[in-house]
Amino acid sequence: MSNEDCVDDTNNVDEFHGNLENPLRNDDELLDDDIFMDANLANAEVGASEPNEGAHFDQLDESYKIDGWKDIRKTEFLNIVDVDIKRYHFSDLGVAFDFYNAFAKSREFSGRKSKTRKHNGIINRQNFVCCREGFRRKKADNTQTRKQEPRAKTRCGCMAKVQVSFDVVSGRWIVSKFSDLHNHDLLPPIFIAMLPGHRKIPAADIEQINIMRKGGLGTAHIFAALSSQSGGHHNVPFLPRDLYNQVAQQRRRLKGDASAALQFLRKRKSIDPVMVIRYEVDRLHSIKNLFWCDGISQMDYQLFGDVLAFDATYKKNKYHCPLVIFSGVNNHNRTVVFAAALVCDESEQTYIWLLKNLLEAMKGKAPISVITDGALSMKNAIEKVFPNAHHRLCAWHLIRNATSNVGNPRFTSQFRKCMLGDYEVGVFRSKWDRMVEEFDVQDKQWIIDMYDNRHSWATAHIRGKFFAGFRTTSRCEGLHSVIAKYVKSRYNLRDFVEHFDRCVAYIRFKDSLADFECAYGVPVMQTHLLTLEKSAANLYTREVFFLFRPIIIRSGSMKVLDCIDVGSYMLYTVVKLVATLSAGKDDRFRSMRDWAINTVDKMKADNIASAITSSSTISATYTDPRDPPIRRRAKDRAGQ
């Protein structure tokens, strides 16, 4: 099977509607222009019956030649009189319209394109009119079928226009008719830039917008950044609605949401050849399940894949498809992502499909231990795909279940001790029996099921199994909270996959920072066992060393009383130093106790006196006031 495989499942129709063939409809587009049409302008004049004609001017003044924006910017529109307009000639229709719109901006209105005239399918005449020309269609004002208030009318039948015609001899477009008579009040200069005809997103801004979107900024934050960059909102040459329209237009250009997501992953695969992509489709050819993992994740799994944790989270995409992330813990005691998947449901069959693809992507290496939240579908899938793996249930979910099933806080407390206490098996059994008898819950089915599955949660029964510090799926929950900063519930598949990839890149960047801290500098030694502490600092990563050092500190307060060689291991008997020396006689014990209490009290008093002295001393060079203390409201304290 190749690294990318598609399975056509015709027996299951799901709610994952990212179709591979057809693009998705974008309902979040913000429409800008009013919907209106003059009855006389319903259709352009096409196929004129007269012979090929075009206005012909024997002499064209070169000083009125307009070939692009460079010439338009040189034009002093405020000094142009109406008779001069007909002297201008243009290289093409686009330049002619840009010229008229710039003229309109100087006269406090905006223009738009109107009727055209064609001959043999080629336009030889074009009208440019005032933006308030014509009237809105009556159909658009039908309030009985509208859910929202209609937009204000802006068309009032203004007759201001310019007509340009093609000169067949010179090959130029010339002004054949012109009128600057308006039947409405012109806008104040402050509002001119807000007219639709004068709002445009420059190509450079579009490129910057796309970069910001890839960085995870929302549309509102992008507009705020652009306004700050340009010196104020009034200096941005477009409105927020234009930015929303631009984003929606880019989404419409996608061939299809699912196809675009796969195209993004395939582009990643072209750079990372070992990347694995798997997906299933239903009988409607809509994508159902999508699984992927890259080469770095595969290498991480080979190193740290002995313990596997996975959980599902929702509301990370607009289809509300569950996101399943396979993760573990690395040598920096940090969460590492092995693979990810978007699925249509959380059925047993779906999890079997996922675990099989994970096993294949990881070259057949199965985990030693797996931890989940206890979902039955996960449990059954793990037993079938990873039969030799030890499955541990999340302690947090079990405590929550104990609360909901028994409803007694004292029972929950004792259940927690039975679950997490490092007892021998016999001690655990006696404590469990006493707890069940005390609360009279021996007939509850949940209690019976929990005892039958004690090998999946009781510390007494999983002693010796390696879980890399996992007792709960809290690492999964923490990972979900990090991902929530990068992906939003409204994201389509393409955006989700891209921003999830950005989140994983950030997690790996944090790992690189941890590698740098290990390579640059040495932690300060703080124990009396310097040789052992230095050896641990050189052997372990920084985070693991910080976990190990308290053990060294505690071991320094112990004394070895006896050492017995039992063949395969050494059995040491250790006790605290002071306790050993003083426990022999009553008077020695009382004397040592009183000395310790008096010493502790004296040190506390010294600390309090030092704190009072330092707080009463104010530096003479200190001039700025300090921040006021944070005062919590009464209801906040009560909530805690």
Side-chain angles (χ1 to χ4, degrees), residues 7 60 91 102 159 189 202 294 397 429 560 562-563 568 578 581 599:
V7 179
L60 296 177
S91 58
M159 298 302 294
D294 60 12
H397 284 85
R429 185 184 302 113
V560 178
D562 192 12
C563 178
S568 60
V578 176
L581 296 175
T599 302

Side-chain angles (χ1 to χ4, degrees), residues 12-16 288-289 312 314 320-324 342-351 354 377:
N12 186 13
V13 180
D14 50 69
E15 297 178 357
F16 201 162
K288 187 173 70 168
N289 299 323
Y314 297 84
H320 300 288
C321 303
L323 168 66
V324 180
L342 287 170
V343 296
C344 62
D345 55 42
E346 291 191 81
S347 64
E348 178 182 335
Q349 191 61 34
T350 297
Y351 279 118
L354 284 180
S377 57

Side-chain angles (χ1 to χ4, degrees), residues 412-461:
T412 303
S413 177
Q414 293 194 26
F415 173 79
R416 184 179 186 276
K417 293 179 181 178
C418 286
M419 176 174 58
L420 302 179
D422 191 10
Y423 308 125
E424 296 294 336
V425 174
V427 176
F428 166 80
R429 185 184 302 113
S430 62
K431 286 182 175 293
W432 177 269
D433 293 339
R434 286 199 303 270
M435 178 187 69
V436 170
E437 182 179 357
E438 177 183 353
F439 294 96
D440 193 22
V441 291
Q442 56 269 17
D443 295 331
K444 277 187 172 291
Q445 188 61 43
W446 184 80
I447 296 294
I448 298 173
D449 294 339
M450 288 304 300
Y451 188 76
D452 292 340
N453 295 324
R454 60 190 179 278
H455 294 279
S456 299
W457 56 268
T459 302
H461 287 275

